[in-house]
Amino acid sequence: MKELICIVCPRGCHLSVDDTAPEITVTGNACPRGAAYGKKEVTAPARVVTSTVRISGAAHRRLPVKTRGEIPKGMMAEAVKLLDEVTVEAPVKVGDVILPNILGTGIDFVASRTMDKT
Amino acid sequence: MELTQICDLAVIGGGPAGMAAALEAYQSGVEKIVIIERDKELGGILNQCIHNGFGLHYFKEELTGPEYAQRFSDQIPGTTIQAMTDTMVLDISPDKTIHLVNTKNGYQQLKAKAIVLAMGCRERTRGAIGIPGERPSGVFTAGTAQRYLNMEGYLVGKRAVILGSGDIGLIMARRLSLEGAKVLACVELMPYSNGLNRNVVQCLNDFEIPLYLSHTITRITGTPRVESVTISKVDEKRNPIPGTEITFQCDTVLLSVGLIPENELSKTAGIALDPRTRGPVVFENMETSVEGIFACGNTVHVHDLVDFVTAESQRAGRYTAAYIQGQSPSPNAFLPVTAGSMVNYTVPQKIHLPASAPVEIFFRVAMPMKDKKIVVTASGTGEKLMEFKRLHLAPGEMEHITIPTSALEKVPDGIEIAIV
């Protein structure tokens, strides 16, 4: 039995995950997403990762980016390191792909805001 | 350009509160709306909150701060709302004249029929909590470090200790770790974290950063830069216990020790402030003690979630539109709402009579509790009007209840909210 705090939403349900039986069971969740989180967290934990990249030609020096979808938790540090090599040119639109297929996951880093050319 | 401009509605602050209030007032039929923003763009602090987790309530999806802000700022160009950026408000007179300054037009006056205050909040600093030790560089508020890192592109240090377990401190622990700095400890004076549970999990536990509860910083050393931080365990009265010291070699200290509603301008307008929230006393329609001046968002009370700021600000925008259109309730007939046992404050503090719609009341509890009831009683008689069960209550999680108009009809002395 593992005690977890659900991170799906700010409510933060206290979950009990029983992973001793072949069928993993989750209790303490207020919604189905909590059950899915509990199962995933004890088998293949994953996170959305946010960071920034260099941008030139915009009003700001950094463009915020996020992974469009979750990547394995163990890949977070390596994924962010890839962004050190990236410089984008303004203009950029929210949702534009900044770095495709992070470490072979099939998940992209995308811009999380629009930045016009100045 | 004329010295004095005239508008129907002036919104002070272009963050999520100001944008939501302005857009809602526009949709309710107000045309001449001006948002005054001191930064060079709209969005407020959301622009530096690049992490995700915003918008689950309002948009039913998980957004980053900049995305959430952009959902609103993108709507402004299609309206008659004028966004006056790079502009600082100096003073608001009770007659609703706003004194402002910018580099383009210099000093200007803006006369408004109604004003919405949406200035947000500011961080408590080292001076506010009196940390002993030397005064080196390298001590930042967490939000300042967040702006440096996420918008200006500077990593503020390589080895950090974070004081306070509020959400911004937790979020910064993760950001620093991801960007290659080492976060040695998160230190919290109280026996529980003030941040959301999910942030303790995904910002500290994910990066194996220890959380020292019931601890505080008792010494900072270093010249000219931070060299070490000493923490001590505290007793039930929050006094440091000698002999429990732990010293960390570090170059940076981040403070996440609370937010205070920003109300210097409210004071210039003569608005009554609540000493508990440190924001304006408001009615259920978000009107302050000065007729025609409304307030919403973190200026009124510090929220946990921007989604709730949006909802509150839309309410303020609708009621401000009603005021401009001459449909405002009389300020003289109202019920006071008081905070009873284990409740730190309530917003609103007053409800206009007769109540025309169900009233949502927001509040924070004094300490973490389990299996309790939120009880609404009639002030004076103590008659119980309603109760709501809660399995889990915590100061870090704002509570709210909705009171139907029927319950407000028979309570001449007001209502009290308590936890029993």
Side-chain angles (χ1 to χ4, degrees):
Chain A
M1 191 72 88
K2 289 195 173 99
E3 302 296 320
L4 300 178
I5 290 167
C6 184
I7 62 167
V8 171
C9 84
R11 179 173 172 147
C13 288
H14 295 250
L15 308 179
S16 298
V17 184
D18 187 351
D19 58 350
T20 51
E23 179 68 13
I24 297 172
T25 53
V26 180
T27 49
N29 53 306
C31 76
R33 293 190 305 160
Y37 167 79
K39 280 179 196 168
K40 199 166 178 195
E41 189 66 8
V42 298
T43 51
R47 300 282 186 270
V48 168
V49 178
T50 64
S51 186
T52 63
V53 293
R54 252 177 254 113
I55 185 165
S56 58
H60 296 284
R61 294 153 46 95
R62 307 293 298 188
L63 173 75
V65 297
K66 68 170 187 180
T67 56
R68 188 153 55 199
E70 293 175 331
I71 64 167
K73 192 171 128 179
M75 286 187 185
M76 285 193 294
E78 216 184 326
V80 168
K81 220 168 171 41
L82 294 175
L83 297 173
D84 291 352
E85 309 304 320
V86 178
T87 302
V88 295
E89 281 284 335
V92 174
K93 286 246 175 297
V94 64
D96 282 358
V97 174
I98 301 302
L99 188 77
N101 190 18
I102 304 158
L103 301 168
T105 55
I107 303 287
D108 305 331
F109 268 116
V110 297
S112 51
R113 66 168 286 181
T114 295
M115 275 194 197
D116 295 330
K117 198 170 174 63
T118 50
Chain B
M1 200 160 181
E2 294 285 319
L3 178 67
T4 303
Q5 304 288 316
I6 291 170
C7 67
D8 293 327
L9 170 60
V11 178
I12 319 292
M19 290 193 291
L23 285 164
E24 195 71 17
Y26 171 77
Q27 270 145 28
S28 305
V30 181
E31 276 179 18
K32 237 181 157 289
I33 302 173
V34 181
I35 301 177
I36 308 161
E37 166 57 45
R38 70 177 170 193
D39 209 337
K40 58 188 169 193
E41 61 187 352
L42 296 176
I45 300 303
L46 282 176
N47 286 331
Q48 70 185 56
C49 298
I50 63 160
H51 54 283
N52 65 325
F54 301 90
L56 273 167
H57 290 262
Y58 189 73
F59 291 111
K60 308 291 177 216
E61 60 179 306
E62 199 161 7
L63 302 172
T64 64
E67 287 171 307
Y68 190 97
Q70 196 175 334
R71 294 277 173 106
F72 291 89
S73 61
D74 277 352
Q75 295 175 46
I76 307 253
T79 68
T80 53
I81 299 167
Q82 182 200 345
M84 201 186 269
T85 53
D86 252 329
T87 303
M88 190 75 190
V89 174
L90 305 172
D91 187 277
I92 301 171
S93 334
D95 72 349
K96 298 190 273 293
T97 302
I98 296 162
H99 304 264
L100 50 88
V101 64
N102 62 33
T103 52
K104 217 164 84 199
N105 299 311
Y107 169 77
Q108 295 266 295
Q109 289 180 3
L110 181 63
K111 235 183 134 19
K113 288 182 192 156
I115 294 173
V116 172
L117 303 173
M119 291 88 72
C121 57
R122 60 174 60 237
E123 296 179 278
R124 292 177 78 210
T125 61
R126 181 174 182 178
I129 56 171
I131 304 173
E134 288 162 359
R135 292 288 180 273
S137 66
V139 181
F140 303 90
T141 58
T144 299
Q146 188 180 45
R147 182 162 177 119
Y148 277 137
L149 181 56
N150 294 346
M151 296 187 73
E152 317 287 343
Y154 299 107
L155 187 59
V156 293
K158 296 205 167 72
R159 290 171 64 84
V161 169
I162 298 179
L163 178 62
S165 61
D167 287 312
I168 313 170
L170 299 175
I171 295 287
M172 281 307 293
R174 174 174 60 183
R175 280 295 294 141
L176 288 175
S177 304
L178 275 176
E179 297 305 331
K182 174 83 183 157
V183 180
L184 302 159
C186 180
V187 183
E188 170 59 54
L189 180 67
M190 302 303 286
Y192 49 86
S193 165
N194 278 311
L196 297 171
N197 274 330
R198 70 192 302 237
N199 285 337
V200 175
V201 173
Q202 59 187 352
C203 298
L204 297 185
N205 301 357
D206 273 8
F207 297 91
E208 291 165 3
I209 298 166
L211 172 60
Y212 292 88
L213 297 173
S214 298
H215 277 73
T216 194
I217 292 180
T218 44
R219 188 162 182 78
I220 296 177
T221 66
T223 309
R225 178 79 188 197
V226 175
E227 285 164 16
S228 78
V229 162
T230 301
I231 70 169
S232 301
K233 198 170 169 43
V234 298
D235 62 22
E236 306 82 60
K237 289 180 182 153
R238 301 181 212 167
N239 291 317
I241 304 169
T244 61
E245 294 84 358
I246 309 170
T247 298
F248 298 97
Q249 305 302 315
C250 61
D251 56 26
T252 301
V253 180
L254 297 193
L255 304 176
S256 176
V257 292
L259 300 169
I260 302 167
E262 170 60 62
N263 280 284
E264 294 308 309
L265 288 173
S266 315
K267 289 180 201 164
T268 68
I271 288 167
L273 300 182
D274 182 333
R276 295 162 304 178
T277 56
R278 302 178 74 166
V281 172
V282 289
F283 289 92
E284 84 295 342
N285 63 349
M286 303 313 291
E287 191 170 10
T288 68
S289 65
V290 175
E291 194 201 305
I293 302 187
F294 296 71
C296 57
N298 286 352
T299 295
V300 177
H301 58 140
V302 177
H303 295 64
D304 314 320
L305 301 182
V306 69
D307 303 67
F308 298 154
V309 168
T310 298
E312 181 178 286
S313 304
Q314 290 175 330
R315 210 146 36 84
R318 278 194 297 280
Y319 283 116
T320 306
Y323 170 83
I324 292 167
Q325 291 151 0
Q327 311 150 6
S328 218
S330 153
N332 299 320
F334 66 88
L335 291 176
V337 182
T338 46
S341 167
M342 288 295 159
V343 173
N344 279 354
Y345 71 80
T346 69
V347 168
Q349 293 91 338
K350 295 174 176 181
I351 300 171
H352 282 115
L353 288 178
S356 55
V359 175
E360 273 193 285
I361 302 204
F362 297 84
F363 57 93
R364 282 185 195 277
V365 297
M367 55 188 280
M369 289 172 280
K370 282 197 162 102
D371 285 325
K372 294 282 180 182
K373 282 179 199 152
I374 300 165
V375 177
V376 183
T377 54
S379 303
T381 66
E383 185 202 342
K384 190 194 283 182
L385 303 168
M386 306 175 76
E387 63 175 42
F388 306 83
K389 280 189 186 152
R390 290 288 188 275
L391 293 175
H392 166 81
L393 290 161
E397 292 165 33
M398 193 161 71
E399 281 295 329
H400 86 281
I401 54 174
T402 304
I403 303 186
T405 48
S406 59
L408 298 169
E409 281 160 6
K410 48 191 180 189
V411 283
D413 299 322
I415 56 171
E416 182 181 286
I417 317 288
I419 309 298
V420 294

